[in-house]
């Protein structure tokens, strides 16, 4: 499975967009990019995923570069409740479907 | 939809005892369930992959005789920590992948339980 690298921590002002980058330079053509977040002492929560195209849902947008070697998760209007650790995961489209978590980005939304 | 529960949410036990943690998919059938362990301020570490009706596949370095996994049905997997010791104290999290083509998703994402905090005295 491809390895992902993310910044250790980021701050964002409440109401502003939070842009969380992820590098997955060794990704292969049959691997999805998934984003999850984990609020303290809870299980991870699914946010969004994509393969090649940019994706948007009610929580966030996912921008994947054309070469697929990196992606950015965008929370359009961050709130204090978005403070969490955000994990970018690359997963095969077949086989075991297992996730290998990286270190994640600790996002702190400031009032 | 896509709710995964764990029981208990926390447990304290004495060293040498065994502890069983249950993971249930409440509103969908799970072909595969996964077990993770998380130490304070660290990321999740995959322990094993569990498929219904077959033996679990353990990640390298995880002792299968210490962490017994049973996946007897499409909605239940159990993790038993045998002869627990203080170093086994951790946050144990399970996840479930819906049956392919079934609801709530066909994209094979995992849905996570709320976790079980184990403290071994």
């Amino acid at each position: 499975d491809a390895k992902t690298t993310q910044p250790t921590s980021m701050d964002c002002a409440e109401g502003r967009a939070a842009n969380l980058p992820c590098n997955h330079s060794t990704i292969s053509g049959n691997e999805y990019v998934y984003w999850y977040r984990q609020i303290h002492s809870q299980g991870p929560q699914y946010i969004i995923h994509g393969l090649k195209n940019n994706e948007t849902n009610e929580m966030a947008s996912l921008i994947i570069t054309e070469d697929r070697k990196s992606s950015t998760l965008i929370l359009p209007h961050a709130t204090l409740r978005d403070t969490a650790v955000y994990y970018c995961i690359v997963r095969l489209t077949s086989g075991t479907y297992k996730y290998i978590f990286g270190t994640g980005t600790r996002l702190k939304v400031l009032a | 939809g896509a709710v995964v529960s764990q029981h208990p949410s926390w447990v304290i036990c004495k060293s040498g005892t065994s502890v069983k943690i249950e993971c249930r998919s409440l509103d969908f059938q799970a072909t595969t369930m996964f077990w993770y362990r998380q130490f304070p301020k660290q990321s999740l570490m995959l322990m094993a992959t569990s498929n219904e009706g077959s033996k679990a596949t353990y990640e390298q370095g995880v002792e299968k005789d210490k962490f017994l996994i049973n996946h007897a049905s499409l909605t239940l997997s159990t993790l038993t920590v045998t002869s627990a010791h203080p170093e086994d104290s951790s946050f144990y999290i399970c996840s479930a992948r819906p049956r392919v083509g079934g609801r709530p998703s066909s994209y094979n994402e995992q849905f996570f339980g709320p976790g079980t905090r184990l403290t071994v005295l």
Side-chain angles (χ1 to χ4, degrees):
Chain A
D1 297 322
K3 181 180 177 180
T4 61
T5 54
Q6 301 174 249
T8 303
S9 64
M10 294 180 65
D11 290 341
C12 176
E14 187 178 21
R16 304 295 295 269
N19 297 289
L20 291 90
C22 178
N23 182 285
H24 32 80
S25 58
T26 59
I27 194 171
S28 60
N30 61 344
E31 290 180 318
Y32 279 94
V33 178
Y34 280 77
W35 283 83
Y36 282 76
R37 71 180 182 184
Q38 186 180 27
I39 297 171
H40 182 63
S41 294
Q42 298 181 24
Q45 175 191 22
Y46 167 79
I47 300 173
I48 199 168
H49 74 279
L51 184 62
K52 296 180 182 178
N53 301 319
N54 297 336
E55 302 289 344
T56 295
N57 62 20
E58 63 277 6
M59 289 183 68
S61 294
L62 174 60
I63 308 298
I64 302 174
T65 58
E66 193 169 340
D67 63 8
R68 302 186 68 242
K69 292 185 177 182
S70 65
S71 62
T72 301
L73 177 74
I74 301 172
L75 307 178
H77 305 287
T79 70
L80 298 178
R81 287 178 294 183
D82 292 322
T83 294
V85 178
Y86 288 77
Y87 294 101
C88 167
I89 301 162
V90 173
R91 193 223 76 195
L92 288 170
T93 58
S94 61
T96 63
Y97 304 101
K98 67 181 182 181
Y99 293 164
I100 304 299
F101 281 77
T103 54
T105 296
R106 188 173 297 274
L107 175 69
K108 187 173 182 179
V109 180
L110 305 172
Chain B
V3 178
V4 176
S5 70
Q6 285 184 236
H7 178 80
S9 56
W10 61 270
V11 57
I12 301 173
C13 70
K14 294 182 179 179
S15 185
T17 60
S18 294
V19 175
K20 180 185 284 188
I21 302 170
E22 292 186 349
C23 176
R24 293 181 185 272
S25 56
L26 298 185
D27 50 3
F28 65 97
Q29 293 182 327
T31 309
T32 308
M33 289 184 171
F34 303 85
W35 286 95
Y36 298 83
R37 180 168 53 179
Q38 185 176 35
F39 292 109
K41 297 190 182 301
Q42 293 187 23
S43 184
L44 283 76
M45 186 194 79
L46 179 66
M47 299 175 67
T49 301
S50 165
N51 291 298
E52 186 264 339
S54 62
K55 290 184 178 180
T57 302
Y58 291 82
E59 294 298 304
Q60 192 172 7
V62 178
E63 299 175 60
K64 60 181 180 181
D65 294 331
K66 180 161 185 66
F67 299 99
L68 301 178
I69 292 173
N70 183 274
H71 192 160
S73 75
L74 285 172
T75 60
L76 173 64
S77 177
T78 60
L79 168 69
T80 301
V81 183
T82 63
S83 187
H85 288 93
E87 58 265 30
D88 298 321
S89 297
S90 188
F91 193 49
Y92 291 87
I93 307 171
C94 73
S95 69
R97 179 175 73 87
R99 182 170 53 87
V100 174
R103 303 185 65 180
S105 167
S106 60
Y107 292 108
N108 295 306
E109 67 260 41
Q110 296 177 27
F111 298 96
F112 286 81
T116 296
R117 187 161 302 282
L118 170 63
T119 302
V120 185
L121 302 176

